[in-house]
Amino acid sequence: MDRAGVQHWLDRYLTAWRTTRRDLIAQLFTDDAVYRYRPYAPQRYATVGLDAILSAWLDAADPPDSWRASYEPFAVEGDRAAAIGVVEYAESSKGPARTYHSVFVLRFAPDGRCAEFSEYYMREEPT
């Protein structure tokens, strides 16, 4: 995987998130992928397998006009990459406007799908 390949994957990730299209989400991850929303939590918080990832994404989908985000590769080495990004949520019935800064730690399969995904994020404190 190279920097352009990781950026392409990140762009597809955002499209899948925005559209919540099952087929686009499925194209991102291997069948046995591990997705960690809370990497330091016990293993039971890892989402394992494509079906579980699809369910998690679709069950907690954000309305497409409620956020904007951008991600870019920070480091790429072999099949591993780290990406940084920002997500800004608009004020909604789910709560006030908020901004999150994220780091994704990724491991890719030879076919370019993600086999391991860990997200580290921090909410920006309102000023």
Side-chain angles (χ1 to χ4, degrees):
M1 186 62 87
D2 60 13
R3 185 176 287 288
V6 174
Q7 185 63 63
H8 180 64
W9 188 92
L10 293 166
D11 293 342
R12 291 173 38 232
Y13 177 94
L14 288 173
T15 298
W17 181 12
R18 185 165 307 284
T19 63
T20 62
R21 282 187 36 196
R22 186 179 187 86
D23 61 324
L24 297 181
I25 300 164
Q27 292 171 15
L28 294 171
F29 300 99
T30 61
D31 292 341
D32 60 349
V34 177
Y35 197 119
R36 295 178 189 90
Y37 299 95
R38 297 171 57 191
Y40 293 118
Q43 185 63 22
R44 68 179 178 272
Y45 289 106
T47 304
V48 180
L50 183 56
D51 288 338
I53 293 168
L54 287 165
S55 292
W57 270 49
L58 296 172
D59 289 347
D62 293 313
D65 59 346
S66 68
W67 57 272
R68 62 184 176 161
S70 63
Y71 295 99
E72 64 180 279
F74 179 76
V76 179
E77 181 71 32
D79 65 350
R80 297 201 173 263
I84 56 173
V86 175
V87 180
E88 297 172 300
Y89 285 93
E91 185 174 350
S92 71
S93 61
K94 289 185 174 183
R98 58 211 184 276
T99 300
Y100 294 91
H101 298 268
S102 302
V103 174
F104 295 165
V105 178
L106 311 161
R107 184 178 62 81
F108 291 96
D111 66 2
R113 292 181 299 156
C114 190
E116 288 183 45
F117 179 104
S118 296
E119 179 178 13
Y120 300 82
Y121 61 90
M122 181 176 291
R123 184 174 179 175
E124 185 177 298
E125 295 297 325
T127 55

